[in-house]
Amino acid sequence: MEIRELLSRWPGLSEGQVSRLQAYYEAVLVENDLQNLTRITSPVDFYEEHLGDVRILAEGLYFRGGVLDLGSGGGLPGLPLAIVRPDLQIVLSDSEKKKADFLQRAIDALEIDNATAVGERGEVILRKNPEIHTIISRAVGPISRIYAWIENCSTWNTLVLLKGPSWNAEWDSFESKKARKALRVIETIDYEVGNVIKKQRKLIVLQRSSLINQM
């Protein structure tokens, strides 16, 4: 099955969005021969797994201000999210400049005017861009490591994570540390991705406790 046929199953997409998502997928395949972006390359697997995460994320009402895709890698989930959510301003970050360069080329080629790619660490980008209030992260590392990177950056207030079944143990580990009171889980969404074999995923929305106390 071709990627375009699969994309036609995504409710509410315009023809332009379908074309951009198809072109992005094709660009990933070409670049994957030059640098390792993903092992998930078949149209069905790419749609069901990679874009399955994006479909859940795109439904969110928790975005406030600018958005940072922390450790975007091959552009997931931030680049497809920028295509389907043109109301968001998204910065794709990856500390590997080669990957960030690919992302910016893709953004330019697809004429996505609400996204940009930066080859710097997320905490550096946050300090330079105070308009970023929401951070999204997928397959970057445990919450303890992510929070250690961004805890001293003052402007963000919401952290959205895409996680697997190990999330509960990961969160328990975070809560055992001194930073345990810094974040609160305000929403958890359980969902499945995958084609033949379904994989359990969780979308977790966290906010800084100081922000919640002010609300």
Side-chain angles (χ1 to χ4, degrees):
M1 189 174 293
E2 299 297 325
I3 190 69
R4 193 173 191 87
E5 182 180 351
L6 293 162
L7 290 168
S8 68
R9 300 177 178 178
W10 192 333
L13 291 188
S14 69
E15 180 61 27
Q17 288 171 325
V18 169
S19 295
R20 282 188 170 93
L21 288 169
Q22 177 184 357
Y24 164 64
Y25 167 71
E26 293 168 351
V28 168
L29 294 187
V30 172
E31 188 68 19
N32 216 37
D33 290 335
L34 304 176
Q35 58 174 321
N36 181 31
L37 298 178
T38 180
R39 292 175 294 175
I40 300 171
T41 56
S42 78
V44 172
D45 290 340
F46 194 92
Y47 178 80
E48 293 291 346
E49 295 197 37
H50 283 327
L51 296 185
D53 286 331
V54 178
R55 290 196 298 277
I56 295 295
L57 185 63
E59 297 174 357
L61 302 176
Y62 33 72
F63 294 107
R64 300 174 64 183
V67 177
L68 173 67
D69 181 8
L70 182 67
S72 192
L76 291 155
L79 200 151
L81 182 63
I83 292 172
V84 301
R85 287 287 302 266
D87 57 308
L88 303 177
Q89 293 294 322
I90 302 179
V91 178
L92 312 178
S93 74
D94 201 282
S95 58
E96 293 186 37
K97 189 175 184 301
K98 191 175 180 181
K99 289 181 179 177
D101 288 346
F102 159 68
L103 295 177
Q104 190 59 55
R105 290 196 305 272
I107 289 167
D108 293 341
L110 298 175
E111 298 181 341
I112 303 171
D113 58 10
N114 61 316
T116 188
V118 182
E120 293 183 316
R121 294 183 63 83
E123 58 266 38
V124 175
I125 296 170
L126 286 169
R127 294 188 182 106
K128 292 180 179 179
N129 296 272
E131 73 279 4
I132 293 175
H133 291 176
T134 304
I135 301 168
I136 57 178
S137 181
R138 173 183 184 264
V140 171
I143 178 63
S144 297
R145 187 185 307 162
I146 292 172
Y147 184 71
W149 292 336
I150 63 177
E151 64 175 318
N152 294 320
C153 303
S154 62
T155 61
W156 68 273
N157 53 48
T158 303
L159 178 61
V160 183
L161 303 177
L162 296 163
K163 290 289 184 177
S166 63
W167 163 252
N168 290 338
E170 190 177 312
W171 180 245
D172 287 344
S173 176
F174 179 80
E175 287 200 304
S176 71
K177 298 177 171 58
K178 65 178 182 179
R180 64 188 180 277
K181 295 183 179 180
L183 296 173
R184 294 185 187 178
V185 176
I186 63 169
E187 184 176 5
T188 300
I189 299 173
D190 294 289
Y191 63 102
E192 292 182 336
V193 300
N195 182 29
V196 177
I197 300 175
K198 294 297 183 179
K199 300 178 180 178
Q200 302 298 315
R201 296 278 175 88
K202 290 179 181 289
L203 184 149
I204 302 99
V205 183
L206 304 106
Q207 283 190 339
R208 282 181 158 171
S209 299
S210 58
L211 175 70
I212 294 173
N213 291 337
Q214 294 170 10
M215 296 175 65

